[in-house]
Amino acid sequence: YYQFIIPIKNMDTPMSESNQPHSSPYPHMLAPLDLGFTTLKNRVLMGSMHVGLEEEKGGFAKLAAFYAARAKGGVGLIVTGGISPNIAGWVAPFAGRMSSSRHAKKHQVITDAVHAEAGKICMQILHSGRYGYHPLNVSASAVKSPITPFKPKSLSTRGVYKTINDYAQCAVYAQSAGYDGVEIMGSEGYLINQFFCERTNFRDDEFGGSLENRARLAIETVKQTRAEVGPNFIIIYRLSMLDLVEGGAPWDEVVYLAKAIEAAGATLINTGIGWHESRVPTIATSVPRAAFTWITQRMKSEVTIPLITTNRINTPEVAEQVLADGHADMVSMARPFLADPDFVAKAMRNQSDQINTCIACNQACLDHAFEQKRASCLVNPQACYETELIFKTVGQAKKLAVIGAGPAGLAFATYAAKRGHDVHLYEQSSAIGGQFNYAKQVPGKEEFYETLRYYARMIEVLGVQLHLNTRVDAKALAGQGFAEVIMATGIKPRDLTIPGHDHTKVMSYIDVLRDHKPVGQKVAVIGAGGIGFDVSEYLVEHENLTTNLDKWLTHWGIDKNYTTPGSLTEKHITPTTREVYLLQRKTSKVGKGLGKTTGWIHRTSLAHHQVKMMSGVSYEKIDDAGLHIMVGDEYQILDVDHVIVCAGQEPLRELETQLQALSIPLHIIGGAYEAGELDAKRAIRQGAELAAKI
Ligand code: NAP
Ligand code: SF4
């Protein structure tokens, strides 16, 4: 179960507003949760995400609008991005901190905005410990993390007591700022984790050594926080239930900590999965949906306070199933609320097919956060731009022609129609989606179906006139009353120019991903960009692991029985019979240009299948013997059956001259405008921005 809901119900026969059932289709997810002193209106928590507005000039007003939109969309409880209780705990220099009433006052605008929408919001208190990307960072012991360049100082015993006090004072300031509670971040490998695990704690004072000592920072922090904020304030503790690192906590220690945290006065326990330095994917799109809820279920019999589960829950159907199966009392979703602020409201109206689903790509959210850029969402460019990208209803509708139903054309068409324009969308093939149709073929990228499902539904709901199988003849557009024309005709794959480029061994990625032409056992892939990686994965990964949780867990070496500390065990990888070379001309590491938070997963997946990744290659020719290359001074012939060209794209602008001759204002967006470094994130944003002002 937890399979992809593809094709989604009612795609062909949409449910009209009038015949929708009135009873809730998600009784568990939409049930209130009574916490004694307060009641949450449903079981959906918007999980903590750092979005980069926290540090931006004027960012608090934008954050207020961002959270208010989610509160208005009906989410039961929001948790903010992590705020440090002191300078040593900063995520990065000058990152969000709350250690004075001046800091607290700035947050009032956020809590006011959320409360005005009848929402509830907790502030996450996050001390980064050795993950702090700055020279003032501290930890249990002076051991550098593998993912940050700064070696931490070991906190003195006095320093630890001071840190506990800082946590508690931070919670008091959060309370004074109007927050309904706090979440104490005790997972993902941050400070509290660093104290709790033997992997990073080599102390010999009362905070190191025995389990009781290693747990003391966590327990005292919750105890002191409860004492300071009083009984009627939510305290969520984010507990690392699965460390997924060597030397992580064994299950009995996790249970010990959970019980102690409950006794110390936490209201809710949230689930944390994997340290940031773990080499197991936990939230990427190739992770099966709800892949880790079993661990929260395992904790259910150990404590009595409500438990929140998390990771790769992205539809109401999956959330409902997790709760109905008794895996948790509440579900946390973070990125799905970037993708759609109205997730809960749409579920309540039984319109889940209108939810813009998070496809777990990380491209505009986490990748931005790691690059210290403002986060947004690939499928929802309005996320974190609520006060800047506004779709006002138009006074005077224009008749608009959009040519091409790829991501840019789809985004433009739906946002323009939402504003009230009369939009005609022309697509020469038999389906919407453009390049997305190739992406969805790649094992582990099945979520792309959801974006296509969303657009297909919104085309119906918003009354976009869709003309499939229609190759636009510019002359035919003339005289039809179009006020403006939007050319979103996309790209064409770049061809090779080397001798033998037209040899029968040569194929394009479209031959493989769209046309499913047979591919031999020995293959060279030219071009190691996103598509070169996708094609290589398609060639070596014969099974869709996203719908086979147990197999996925064993593939990545996760021991569901938790017999080892951190629950890591040996990986079991089904071998491939194909021999693949993935080549690039650049001398940099293959895959360096991929997303910061996902590139390592793609590289690891290909390494699992012994794909040979080669850089600094120059292509000489292709003939019956194979692909002739030079690597440095060495001449090599790769004896391959096929050479698959993934060498980027060029804009497809065949229609441009004809369209210009029409004397109708013409806009060019997406790949047709600029193919270099094109991705769906840029295409969708460009479509949305044009739609906002046309
Ligand atoms: P790309 O990222 O531009 O990569 C194409 C690669 O081909 C380049 O890295 C280049 O590497 C090589 N190349 C360029 N011209 C060449 C030539 N004349 N002969 C031989 N090699 C040449 O393009 P893409 O892989 O087609 O991807 C297109 C876009 O889709 C990307 O921008 C990407 O963001 C997006 N995408 C993203 C993902 C993802 O996982 N995030 C997946 C798929 C696609 P060298 O010059 O070093 O050889
Ligand atoms: Fe989800 Fe991708 Fe949007 Fe991030 S950018 S919220 S992962 S769809």
Side-chain angles (χ1 to χ4, degrees):
Y1 58 84
Y2 306 139
Q3 301 267 327
F4 289 90
I5 42 160
I6 303 160
I8 192 149
K9 58 185 189 277
N10 309 324
M11 272 282 284
D12 300 325
T13 50
M15 194 186 273
S16 75
E17 301 292 325
S18 57
N19 66 7
Q20 287 177 15
H22 292 289
S23 63
S24 163
Y26 311 107
H28 295 85
M29 185 182 90
L30 297 175
L33 180 61
D34 185 359
L35 299 176
F37 56 92
T38 187
T39 299
L40 306 180
K41 55 185 161 194
N42 53 55
R43 306 298 179 106
V44 183
L45 177 111
M46 174 176 157
S48 173
M49 277 176 293
H50 182 89
V51 295
L53 286 169
E54 295 82 352
E55 293 82 26
E56 226 179 70
K57 199 163 182 283
F60 277 89
K62 292 175 190 172
L63 268 179
F66 167 70
Y67 288 125
R70 276 75 196 161
K72 190 174 178 195
V75 65
L77 181 61
I78 295 170
V79 179
T80 68
I83 300 288
S84 165
N86 56 29
I87 287 178
W90 274 341
V91 175
F94 308 104
R97 168 168 63 107
M98 191 179 281
S99 50
S100 71
S101 50
R102 186 174 59 84
H103 293 148
K105 266 202 194 96
K106 286 190 178 175
H107 285 246
Q108 191 76 50
V109 60
I110 294 176
T111 56
D112 285 348
V114 168
H115 294 152
E117 297 294 351
K120 286 190 164 56
I121 184 162
C122 293
M123 190 186 86
Q124 188 188 70
I125 309 179
L126 166 69
H127 190 305
S128 308
R130 68 178 192 156
Y131 282 165
Y133 206 84
H134 57 87
L136 305 175
N137 67 355
V138 295
S139 186
S141 303
V143 185
K144 195 181 86 63
S145 96
I147 56 169
T148 34
F150 300 97
K151 187 174 170 183
K153 263 190 20 213
S154 170
L155 271 170
S156 65
T157 307
R158 219 171 125 241
V160 185
Y161 283 112
K162 162 96 174 56
T163 303
I164 294 169
N165 194 51
D166 289 345
Y167 272 105
Q169 287 314 308
C170 183
V172 172
Y173 288 125
Q175 195 173 32
S176 74
Y179 282 106
D180 301 282
V182 290
E183 177 173 80
I184 295 171
M185 181 47 150
S187 67
E188 325 310 279
Y190 290 113
L191 183 76
I192 292 181
N193 250 180
Q194 293 159 24
F195 269 81
F196 188 59
C197 285
E198 284 178 330
R199 168 187 175 80
T200 39
N201 185 337
F202 304 99
R203 305 176 68 91
D204 53 14
D205 64 358
E206 62 263 46
F207 293 100
S210 68
L211 170 61
E212 290 73 11
N213 285 356
R214 285 181 280 115
R216 198 179 307 282
L217 168 64
I219 298 165
E220 287 305 316
T221 297
V222 175
K223 233 188 233 171
Q224 198 172 320
T225 301
R226 176 56 77 208
E228 296 279 352
V229 296
N232 298 337
F233 192 64
I234 300 169
I235 298 179
I236 308 169
Y237 183 84
R238 185 101 182 256
L239 174 71
S240 189
M241 294 199 198
L242 208 54
D243 290 331
L244 300 178
V245 284
E246 306 277 333
W251 177 246
D252 56 342
E253 293 197 358
V254 180
V255 171
Y256 168 87
L257 184 56
K259 289 178 191 281
I261 291 295
E262 173 169 25
T267 322
L268 295 149
I269 291 180
N270 195 356
T271 305
I273 305 290
W275 289 31
H276 284 314
E277 67 208 59
S278 163
R279 294 290 89 181
V280 175
T282 54
I283 59 166
T285 194
S286 55
V287 176
R289 289 176 172 180
F292 294 103
T293 60
W294 51 271
I295 195 69
T296 317
Q297 182 192 29
R298 192 170 165 150
M299 186 60 79
K300 286 268 309 158
S301 55
E302 306 287 356
V303 291
T304 55
I305 54 173
L307 295 183
I308 306 164
T309 196
T310 183
N311 284 46
R312 288 290 283 121
I313 298 168
N314 65 340
T315 70
E317 288 76 9
V318 175
E320 177 66 18
Q321 190 71 56
V322 165
L323 294 169
D325 288 349
H327 287 199
D329 303 285
M330 202 169 177
V331 292
S332 168
M333 289 179 261
R335 298 171 298 168
F337 283 98
L338 284 177
D340 198 329
D342 295 321
F343 183 102
V344 174
K346 287 177 184 173
M348 286 169 76
R349 294 197 297 263
N350 202 4
Q351 293 172 340
S352 93
D353 55 354
Q354 293 181 37
I355 291 175
N356 198 357
T357 306
C358 166
I359 58 174
C361 65
N362 287 357
Q363 277 175 251
C365 52
L366 281 173
D367 283 347
H368 281 211
F370 276 81
E371 288 161 21
Q372 311 224 346
K373 288 193 330 209
R374 191 197 304 187
S376 186
C377 173
L378 180 142
V379 299
N380 174 23
Q382 205 179 21
C384 300
Y385 289 81
E386 283 74 14
T387 58
E388 293 147 278
L389 183 58
I390 297 165
F391 301 103
K392 281 203 191 108
T393 307
V394 288
Q396 183 97 47
K398 290 180 187 171
K399 186 172 176 184
L400 303 170
V402 186
I403 308 169
L410 288 168
F412 175 84
T414 48
Y415 283 118
K418 188 174 168 187
R419 293 188 59 208
H421 288 305
D422 174 16
V423 182
H424 289 249
L425 176 58
Y426 297 93
E427 168 56 46
Q428 68 173 355
S429 74
S430 58
I432 63 165
Q435 297 273 303
F436 259 38
N437 287 307
Y438 314 144
K440 73 182 189 194
Q441 306 285 338
V442 176
K445 284 202 161 180
E446 292 75 8
E447 289 288 2
F448 280 75
Y449 279 98
E450 295 294 351
T451 303
L452 297 176
R453 180 267 307 156
Y454 168 74
Y455 278 122
R457 183 69 180 117
M458 295 320 286
I459 283 170
E460 292 172 338
V461 169
L462 297 166
V464 173
Q465 303 285 316
L466 177 63
H467 308 271
L468 292 174
N469 303 305
T470 307
R471 198 175 157 76
V472 167
D473 171 356
K475 280 191 212 116
L477 288 185
Q480 289 199 44
F482 285 113
E484 303 191 33
V485 176
I486 292 81
M487 192 173 111
T489 44
I491 50 89
K492 55 177 191 256
R494 181 180 288 128
D495 290 327
L496 293 182
T497 51
I498 58 168
H501 64 88
D502 50 358
H503 193 276
T504 49
K505 284 178 188 277
V506 179
M507 299 170 94
S508 88
Y509 66 85
I510 299 199
D511 293 326
V512 179
L513 295 180
R514 184 190 66 190
D515 302 337
H516 304 292
K517 289 194 180 156
V519 179
Q521 287 301 307
K522 285 178 154 187
V523 185
V525 176
I526 289 189
I531 292 181
F533 266 83
D534 275 1
V535 165
S536 303
E537 269 176 67
Y538 175 85
L539 293 173
V540 294
E541 200 66 79
H542 302 302
E543 213 178 341
N544 178 6
L545 295 183
T546 56
T547 50
N548 189 340
L549 178 57
D550 285 336
K551 195 138 193 204
W552 182 86
L553 291 169
T554 54
H555 178 101
W556 284 99
I558 302 165
D559 174 18
K560 216 174 165 184
N561 296 320
Y562 223 132
T563 51
T564 55
S567 94
L568 282 186
T569 175
E570 205 185 317
K571 289 177 183 172
H572 290 277
I573 294 153
T574 313
T576 178
T577 51
R578 224 179 230 129
E579 199 179 321
V580 176
Y581 297 87
L582 175 58
L583 313 171
Q584 70 176 27
R585 297 173 302 182
K586 286 187 284 287
T587 49
S588 53
K589 186 162 127 191
V590 173
K592 194 164 183 274
L594 299 177
K596 274 223 174 327
T597 61
T598 51
W600 68 271
I601 303 171
H602 295 300
R603 280 192 299 273
T604 311
S605 296
L606 295 191
H608 283 160
H609 294 293
Q610 278 86 46
V611 170
K612 294 171 195 67
M613 293 175 248
M614 297 166 73
S615 51
V617 176
S618 75
Y619 311 112
E620 300 296 316
K621 64 175 178 182
I622 299 159
D623 61 18
D624 291 347
L627 174 63
H628 299 241
I629 57 170
M630 289 287 289
V631 187
D633 296 334
E634 196 192 338
Y635 193 88
Q636 291 185 33
I637 303 171
L638 304 180
D639 164 28
V640 291
D641 305 313
H642 286 109
V643 176
I644 301 174
V645 183
C646 305
Q649 290 96 11
E650 285 160 3
L652 195 54
R653 291 166 82 144
E654 283 164 7
L655 278 174
E656 188 180 1
T657 320
Q658 284 181 43
L659 289 170
Q660 265 162 352
L662 293 178
S663 305
I664 301 173
L666 175 67
H667 308 269
I668 305 177
I669 58 172
Y673 173 77
E674 164 74 76
E677 303 291 310
L678 175 77
D679 59 17
K681 180 179 75 176
R682 177 152 65 82
I684 290 175
R685 178 165 289 277
Q686 214 177 19
E689 284 177 348
L690 179 61
K693 59 180 189 229
I694 203 163

